[in-house]
Amino acid sequence: MRIKWFSLVRITGLIMVLAYHFYPKQVTGGFVGVDLFFVFSGFLITSLMIDEFAKQSHFDLLAFYRRRFNRIVPPLWFSVTLVLPLSLLINRDFLTNIGKQVAAAFGFVTNYYEILTGGNYENQFTPHLFVHTWTLALEMHFYILWGLLVWFLVQYVKRSRFNRIDRTDLLRLRIGQLSAVFILIQLAVIYLQIQQGINLNVIYFADVTHAFPFFIGALVASLTGIRQLPNYFKHVLGRTSAGGAMTGMLLGLALLAGLTALLKFDQPITYQWGFLLASLGAALMIVSARILHDKTPSIEEPRLITFLADTSYSVYLYHWPLIIIFGHLINHDLAVLLTISLSLALSALSYYVIEPMLTHPKIKPFWHRSALALMTILAGITFVICWQAPKLSNLSQHLWQGNLQQDVDQLHSLADNTATQTGHNRQIPKGISVIGDSVTLGTRTYLATHLVDSSIDAQPNRNMTQANQVLEEQIRNKTLRQNVIICIGTNSLNDYQEQLMKLIQTLPKGHRLILMTPFDGQANAGWNSSKLTVLERTLPDKYPFITIADWNRLAGQHREIFGSGDGTHFAGNADGDKLYAQCLNDALAKAEKGPVKNK
């Protein structure tokens, strides 16, 4: 039994997720679209379980697992194996450890793979091609656990003395009670983990904190249903008009739209209340759609809506790796258009042609064998790509080399300073102190020989607060050189202005300050790094000892140095090294003609 207007629920979730992935800075809360999917999955699966028991007084657990496998695995297989060869068109850094990503996707453990690797700084700039399969991991875990628990509930109910109808009501009651327990436990765990300061990524990806929307869906299923409806809900159906059902859908949609516009991924309130409110909005849409189905018997669901709903799962699978690949080859808006078009085409091929060839019981053996042969060929190609993929990205190699050289240089610098500084006779060391982030660290080896008499301290993910800490430490250790270069800004936090002014005030007398403006090829005017650039350019007029090394402008004129990379790092590109050093040396030459800080 296909329920009309459920398609609108699916499409709403898909649009929210696509909008967030395509335009994350504009659609900041679109990630709650996955919670809508979770609620719908919990509702649909649980409703079908109840319907099966009501009809047959039985629940076939193995048949349930087989249906879930056939629906989830073939589209996943084809999406991964068809898209992976396209990744050869972009920077090989995206293929680093791709075999582990593929294994995590097919093993339905991507959520835990992301928890273990998501803290890696490099992943912020070279995102995993199959990170989006974390939702499938949660979904599969839910199906395995929930299927088993409902099977046990069915055995319990079958031993009761009630008749079939009463047994179905008893099963509904127990499913609702168990769902409510899981919901309350998970919400309590979320609250406690936020109070303890647990990394929000862990809360987002973990089953124990992000599976509760499935159970909200299961709870709604226990109260409503698809075929077999409880008597009170039949009464609700009789008293609710089509207009009332439409109003309910619009209210749920409005709530989700508001959350999409307001929520942000890195805010604790999103985890404490945002996901719960999104799940409740999804539940309202589902119940309203179920009522609207009965209230519109003469209206057919438009075929376009049905098509989009049928292919929504596969579109979700294809869109993320495709937007990463195309986004590094062509203009972003064109990449979005191409991603949507190709995702729809491949999804239609998968849903209407390839999947039936594998799973339809009446398919001819020839077509079944053909589909299996295609899967085998794609598996072979995938294996070769994974086997030849780099184990360490170019960025990681340069960061590792830079860190190693930096440790050696800092030991020498400290030894030299200890030998030359005696008593209270402190002389300001001549030369250059560079405080930088991962961009500086990636080109450190080149700077060591092309930035004369320099001491470089750079670390990945460094922000202005941490730059202040390094500055203060060098002041205490009496290692801060006369010309101080700050290459910080790509990782700007909301307090960038306060921290920059603190740095200017902390800088001792007798020093010059060179501020290198940050460049992020993905940033727009609303990003903190862009705002920091604007602020830094105004400072020399107020502080004569400050000079600007305008990397933002220079790098923007030479985007070719980033290749098909992340638009921020150019580690390993000789032209990028030269341009970066040129930017610093030109600013230094200008600074040398100006005054030092005198008060």
Side-chain angles (χ1 to χ4, degrees), residues 190-243:
I190 291 173
Y191 175 80
L192 291 174
Q193 290 193 348
I194 289 177
Q195 297 305 310
Q196 295 169 0
I198 300 295
N199 189 310
L200 295 179
N201 282 333
V202 175
I203 300 175
Y204 187 71
F205 287 121
D207 293 271
V208 73
T209 46
H210 207 159
F212 75 87
F214 290 106
F215 295 107
I216 288 180
L219 178 59
V220 173
S222 72
L223 298 173
T224 59
I226 293 181
R227 286 182 179 273
Q228 300 295 327
L229 308 178
N231 288 330
Y232 90 91
F233 189 66
K234 291 178 182 178
H235 181 69
V236 172
L237 277 173
R239 295 178 62 87
T240 306
S241 65

Side-chain angles (χ1 to χ4, degrees), residues 464 493-502 532 535:
M464 199 65 74
L493 303 178
N494 291 333
D495 64 347
Y496 67 89
Q497 183 172 358
E498 174 187 345
Q499 293 299 326
L500 177 57
M501 300 314 295
K502 178 182 176 182
L532 174 63
L535 172 61

Side-chain angles (χ1 to χ4, degrees), residues 132-433:
H132 63 312
T133 61
W134 74 272
T135 60
L136 303 187
L138 255 71
E139 193 164 3
M140 188 62 81
H141 301 165
F142 167 74
Y143 291 152
I144 293 171
L145 173 65
W146 194 235
L148 193 60
L149 289 176
V150 170
W151 184 85
F152 278 116
L153 286 178
V154 167
Q155 308 316 306
Y156 160 76
V157 169
K158 287 170 66 174
R159 290 195 296 270
S160 69
R161 299 179 180 180
F162 298 120
N163 59 36
R164 178 183 295 181
I165 296 177
D166 291 337
R167 286 177 178 175
T168 301
D169 288 340
L170 179 60
L171 179 61
R172 286 182 182 278
L173 176 64
R174 295 294 179 254
I175 285 177
Q177 291 172 335
L178 189 58
S179 299
V181 169
F182 276 116
I183 293 167
L184 293 174
I185 289 174
Q186 291 209 348
L187 291 177
V189 172
I190 291 173
Y191 175 80
L192 291 174
Q193 290 193 348
I194 289 177
Q195 297 305 310
Q196 295 169 0
I198 300 295
N199 189 310
L200 295 179
N201 282 333
V202 175
I203 300 175
Y204 187 71
F205 287 121
D207 293 271
V208 73
T209 46
H210 207 159
F212 75 87
F214 290 106
F215 295 107
I216 288 180
L219 178 59
V220 173
S222 72
L223 298 173
T224 59
I226 293 181
R227 286 182 179 273
Q228 300 295 327
L229 308 178
N231 288 330
Y232 90 91
F233 189 66
K234 291 178 182 178
H235 181 69
V236 172
L237 277 173
R239 295 178 62 87
T240 306
S241 65
M246 291 180 63
T247 300
M249 287 199 71
L250 290 175
L251 287 174
L253 181 61
L255 174 58
L256 289 165
L259 295 173
T260 298
L262 297 175
L263 292 181
K264 290 183 172 56
F265 188 83
D266 58 354
Q267 293 180 342
I269 193 173
T270 295
Y271 298 79
Q272 290 178 310
W273 298 107
F275 295 139
L276 176 60
L277 289 174
S279 299
L280 295 177
L284 179 57
M285 287 191 69
I286 290 168
V287 174
S288 299
R290 178 62 188 87
I291 296 173
L292 192 60
H293 169 82
D294 280 17
K295 297 299 178 178
T296 55
S298 60
I299 300 177
E300 293 295 326
E301 196 173 57
R303 289 191 176 184
L304 177 60
I305 292 178
T306 302
F307 167 76
L308 292 175
D310 288 344
T311 57
S312 59
Y313 168 52
S314 291
V315 169
Y316 174 81
L317 291 176
Y318 284 106
H319 86 279
W320 175 251
L322 288 180
I323 191 58
I324 291 177
I325 293 169
F326 296 143
H328 285 83
L329 295 175
I330 57 178
N331 171 272
H332 183 72
D333 291 333
L334 290 177
V336 169
L337 182 61
L338 182 57
T339 295
I340 293 174
S341 301
L342 189 56
S343 294
L344 286 171
L346 291 174
S347 298
L349 178 65
S350 176
Y351 184 82
Y352 294 111
V353 180
I354 298 177
E355 293 172 49
M357 289 168 61
L358 284 170
T359 61
H360 198 283
K362 296 182 180 180
I363 194 71
K364 293 181 179 179
F366 169 78
W367 295 111
H368 185 72
R369 287 194 295 268
S370 298
L372 289 176
L374 177 60
M375 291 182 70
T376 302
I377 292 171
L378 292 173
I381 296 172
T382 299
F383 177 80
V384 171
I385 293 174
C386 292
W387 181 264
Q388 295 182 344
K391 304 303 180 186
L392 194 64
S393 72
N394 189 47
L395 175 58
S396 291
Q397 292 179 41
H398 280 80
L399 294 182
W400 180 80
Q401 293 170 358
N403 265 319
L404 184 63
Q405 184 62 47
Q406 182 166 282
D407 290 341
V408 174
D409 289 349
Q410 287 179 348
L411 284 174
H412 290 162
S413 177
L414 185 59
D416 292 343
N417 185 65
T418 302
T420 57
Q421 301 293 336
T422 60
H424 296 286
N425 267 336
R426 178 182 180 267
Q427 301 286 331
I428 296 177
K430 299 296 183 182
I432 308 158
S433 288

Side-chain angles (χ1 to χ4, degrees), residues 73 76-81 101-110 133 382:
V73 175
L76 174 63
W77 181 275
F78 284 107
S79 67
V80 171
T81 56
Q101 294 183 50
V102 171
F106 288 147
F108 297 100
V109 291
T110 298
T133 61
T382 299

Side-chain angles (χ1 to χ4, degrees), residues 118-122 124-125 199 395 399 403 436-441 458-467 487-493 568-569:
N120 187 330
Y121 175 74
E122 177 191 346
Q124 300 177 41
F125 298 95
N199 189 310
L395 175 58
L399 294 182
N403 265 319
D437 55 18
S438 60
V439 180
T440 311
L441 186 59
Q459 287 295 328
N461 210 22
R462 181 173 280 168
N463 54 47
M464 199 65 74
T465 301
Q466 295 163 330
C487 305
I488 300 291
T490 304
N491 310 293
S492 295
L493 303 178
T568 299
H569 299 90

